[in-house]
Amino acid sequence: MSSRPEFQAPPEIFYNDVEARKYTNSSHIQDIQTKLSERALELLALPDDSIPRLLLDIGCGSGLSGETLSESGHHWIGLDISQAMLDVALDREVEGDLVLGDMGQGIGLRTGVIDGAISISAVQWLCNADKSSHEPRLRLKAFFGSLYRSLARGARAVFQVYPESVAQRELITSFAMRAGFSGGVVVDYPHSTKRRKEFLVLTCGPPSVSTALPTGKVEDEESCSDASSDDGDERTVSISERHRPTKKRKLTKKVRGRQWVLQKKEQMRKKGNIVPPDTKYTARKRKARF
């Protein structure tokens, strides 16, 4: 886990000039970014009518994922916090419009102008408090709230994420739902260590039949039901633990009657304590109301 970039430095510092060019020039990174972007575009489920859409690439970096959007015939706006990454994108002459900004402070776009949004390996950065002024919950709220407003009604947003834990995944998802999104997590190849990928697929608006969650990809020998399950290794609960018989508790309650109270009062008197005298009302159960 220590090798993950988000654990080493804030994105605008980690991706300096050297790291940005090293990242962009890596053929391995280029191949991964292309495959993830193509999958994210597939999960967007845009209408197949050959009409170009205006898409938002959040955490666009040097424009590797944006190239996939351009090749599919769409227009796009790229948002990133690293100036060095955007400089590389300009050198590469990407076709999208580039914006330098912090997604944790909200997305400053007009209401309803975006037809879809993708993000590759960026949203989990919001869960880190890189500065004393950073509060992950407030940053997630600002991000998803502004994204919801900028998307057209019924548009989708697909985020490929690497959550650190189940708790982090649930944190991200919960703030997306609070903003008004519907959807959930789609897991590709859930039982593969290397190929497993998680996508948070959100729809702008309440859930409906048309906003049903897509099915994750699976290996050839796996069944389709395995892909639709949302249980990672960290969520697995064994059957033996789930159905372990519990010890039966005794339901009989000891009733402390008059004789017990009289014995206690006598013990207190022997110790020299001042105890009220015994009467016919001693240990008598009171009525519910007088």
Side-chain angles (χ1 to χ4, degrees), residues 11-266:
E12 65 272 25
I13 296 177
F14 180 84
Y15 289 109
N16 52 29
D17 293 336
V18 175
E19 194 65 31
R21 297 190 181 279
K22 177 182 176 183
Y23 181 92
T24 306
N25 294 330
S26 170
S27 58
H28 178 65
I29 293 295
Q30 292 176 10
D31 182 58
I32 292 176
Q33 282 282 339
T34 299
K35 291 179 179 179
L36 293 176
S37 302
E38 290 175 349
R39 177 57 172 155
L41 189 58
E42 178 185 353
L43 292 172
L44 274 183
L46 297 171
D48 189 13
D49 52 11
S50 301
I51 299 177
R53 260 61 183 191
L54 179 59
L55 305 179
L56 178 63
D57 186 1
I58 304 165
C60 64
S62 56
L64 294 178
S65 53
E67 289 181 342
T68 301
L69 304 181
S70 297
E71 291 172 359
S72 300
H74 301 294
H75 307 296
W76 58 278
I77 300 172
L79 173 69
D80 204 278
I81 196 174
S82 172
Q83 181 65 62
M85 277 290 199
L86 295 180
D87 288 341
V88 175
L90 289 173
D91 292 342
R92 299 177 65 245
E93 298 182 351
V94 297
E95 297 181 13
D97 295 324
L98 304 176
V99 179
L100 177 65
D102 180 6
M103 60 180 171
Q105 295 181 355
I107 300 172
L109 295 176
R110 291 174 57 186
T111 302
V113 298
I114 302 298
D115 298 313
I118 69 167
S119 178
I120 308 299
S121 310
V123 175
Q124 70 269 6
W125 287 82
L126 291 175
C127 298
N128 298 332
D130 296 321
K131 300 179 181 178
S132 58
S133 60
H134 284 184
E135 169 54 48
R137 294 176 180 273
L138 295 179
R139 289 170 61 76
L140 285 167
K141 180 180 178 181
F143 168 66
F144 283 113
S146 59
L147 177 64
Y148 186 88
R149 291 188 294 271
S150 65
L151 286 172
R153 189 72 170 180
R156 272 188 178 179
V158 178
F159 307 100
Q160 187 273 320
V161 293
Y162 291 109
E164 178 186 1
S165 61
V166 173
Q168 189 176 94
R169 180 195 301 123
E170 293 177 347
L171 177 67
I172 296 172
T173 305
S174 65
F175 274 91
M177 300 307 167
R178 292 179 189 180
F181 287 102
S182 59
V185 177
V186 175
V187 182
D188 284 351
Y189 310 109
H191 303 294
S192 174
T193 304
K194 295 183 178 181
R195 300 182 67 187
R196 177 188 171 94
K197 293 292 183 294
E198 294 188 17
F199 296 86
L200 178 59
V201 182
L202 304 174
T203 302
C204 186
S208 63
V209 177
S210 60
T211 62
L213 203 62
T215 302
K217 292 184 177 181
V218 295
E219 302 286 355
D220 295 338
E221 63 272 14
E222 294 177 358
S223 62
C224 293
S225 60
D226 293 333
S228 60
S229 64
D230 190 26
D231 54 344
D233 296 336
E234 302 171 18
R235 285 189 175 210
T236 303
V237 179
S238 63
I239 301 298
S240 60
E241 291 178 348
R242 185 182 301 167
H243 299 290
R244 182 182 297 167
T246 57
K247 295 182 179 179
K248 293 184 178 180
R249 298 180 180 178
K250 294 183 180 180
L251 300 178
T252 56
K253 185 178 180 180
K254 293 183 179 180
V255 180
R256 297 175 178 178
R258 176 180 171 84
Q259 189 61 36
W260 181 86
V261 174
L262 293 176
Q263 290 178 359
K264 284 295 182 181
K265 292 178 71 174
E266 187 62 29

